[in-house]
């Protein structure tokens, strides 16, 4: 079996809004049976590693940030923990893949939120190692996709500033070849340390003091204020309902108050995560340090030993040969 010349793992971080096709991209890249969502709700819940079989290349699949506050702090903490451990273990982060689906006519709030978080986590100096990947080309007329692609490229609120500073825009063509073509050039050259990692690991900042953490914290604060106002309004209504002895209305108000109180509790929990971060006993790459075989069983099982996984090995072997040939 062909093995990479480098003994240490090389990792690519995969990010983007829920449902854009992160897991699908990893499925194509690795030939592994990565769980893909078929519903609207988010499928990938935590950061997971997938190895391209027979190589030392790993893809870190991460959950998308929501367009509400819900789990954003927990997601950011999980991402920080994975990247921090990658940094501490001196494992090469070869690049970041930011995926975006072309199916939506407009940039919705979820897409904008993920773009903003991407910018704050990565840092301008690392954009040359970032690929902005458009997905789902096969699901609609290519003229529509091309029009949306052009808008992403030229609009200063979307991808233009990132492209101007070194990021590259690429199309994902629903195939293993296409995925490997995107990955291949990133494997060369030195790795990067993301802004988020520099902030937490080098400057020693708490998550809440990082650029990305501040963004999440601001969102949490805004939602908290809305909920506190809601509680105040409900209290007023409650008094009226009591005066009118409207038992049914009182019951409904109490129910609503309990819901808002629960939301506020969750917001406080998310803020706690931002203050304290996420502790992982073993570290993200602990299994490598312990000498556990670089198996494909970390995130998934091989889809098909022969066809897909074999193709990945062959493609990456070509990559390695090409890199070695140039040295
Ligand atoms: N044809 C096609 N379908 C895609 C592509 N990317 C994603 N899909 C479909 O879109 C849906 C969501 O894809 P996932 O890969 O689960 O998306 P995700 O980004 O991992 O989503 P979360 O894990 O929820 O964050 C699935 O039904 C996929 O089959 C693509 O490039 N082409
Ligand atoms: Mg997923």
């Amino acid at each position: 079996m062909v093995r990479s010349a480098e003994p240490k793992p090389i990792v690519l971080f995969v990010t983007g809004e829920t449902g854009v096709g992160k897991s699908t991209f990893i499925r194509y890249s690795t030939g592994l049976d990565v769980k893909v969502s078929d519903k609207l709700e988010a499928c990938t819940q935590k950061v997971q590693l997938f190895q391209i079989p027979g190589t030392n290349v790993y893809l870190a699949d991460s959950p998308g940030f929501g367009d509400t506050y819900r789990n954003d702090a927990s997601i950011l903490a999980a991402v920080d923990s994975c990247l921090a451990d990658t940094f501490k273990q001196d494992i090469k982060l070869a690049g970041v893949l930011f995926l975006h689906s072309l199916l939506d006519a407009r940039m919705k709030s979820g897409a904008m939120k993920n773009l903003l978080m991407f910018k704050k986590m990565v840092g301008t100096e690392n954009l040359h190692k970032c690929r902005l990947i458009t997905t789902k080309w096969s699901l609609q007329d290519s003229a529509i996709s091309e029009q949306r692609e052009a808008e992403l490229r030229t609009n200063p609120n979307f991808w233009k500033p990132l492209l101007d500073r070194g990021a590259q825009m690429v199309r994902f063509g629903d195939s293993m070849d296409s995925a490997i073509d995107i990955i291949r050039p990133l494997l060369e050259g030195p790795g990067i340390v993301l802004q988020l990692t520099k902030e937490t690991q080098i400057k020693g900042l708490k998550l809440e003091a990082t650029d990305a953490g501040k963004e999440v914290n601001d969102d949490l604060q805004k939602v908290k204020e809305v909920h506190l106002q809601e509680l105040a309004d409900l209290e007023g209504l409650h008094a009226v309902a009591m005066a009118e002895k409207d038992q049914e209305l009182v019951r409904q108000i109490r129910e609503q108050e309990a819901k808002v109180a629960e939301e506020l509790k969750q917001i406080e929990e998310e803020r706690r995560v931002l203050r304290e971060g996420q502790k992982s006993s073993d570290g993200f790459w602990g299994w490598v340090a312990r000498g556990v075989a670089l198996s494909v069983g970390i995130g998934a099982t091989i889809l098909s030993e022969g066809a897909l996984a074999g193709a990945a090995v062959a493609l990456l072997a070509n990559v390695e040969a090409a890199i070695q040939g140039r040295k």
Side-chain angles (χ1 to χ4, degrees), residues 184-255:
R184 186 189 293 121
L186 290 169
L187 302 178
E188 295 183 59
I192 51 174
V193 180
L194 296 197
Q195 178 183 325
L196 177 67
T197 311
K198 286 179 186 162
E199 288 173 309
T200 61
Q201 303 307 307
I202 300 175
K203 293 187 187 161
L205 296 181
K206 286 189 174 175
L207 209 47
E208 65 178 358
T210 64
D211 267 7
K214 280 187 205 157
E215 183 60 36
V216 172
N217 221 354
D218 286 353
D219 277 354
L220 288 169
Q221 186 56 34
K222 278 182 210 143
V223 186
K224 183 178 170 178
E225 277 159 23
V226 170
H227 283 329
L228 288 176
Q229 184 57 49
E230 230 174 314
L231 271 189
D233 294 347
L234 283 167
E235 211 173 300
L237 267 181
H238 195 185
V240 175
M242 290 290 276
E244 291 179 357
K245 297 192 170 56
D246 187 338
Q247 293 307 319
E248 177 54 18
L249 187 56
V250 169
R251 192 191 59 77
Q252 285 176 10
I253 292 168
R254 287 220 173 105
E255 225 173 71

Side-chain angles (χ1 to χ4, degrees), residues 19 21-24 34-37 43-45 61-63:
K22 299 179 294 293
S23 299
T24 303
V34 182
K35 195 166 168 247
V36 163
S37 62
C43 177
T44 306
Q45 307 282 354
D61 192 4
S62 67

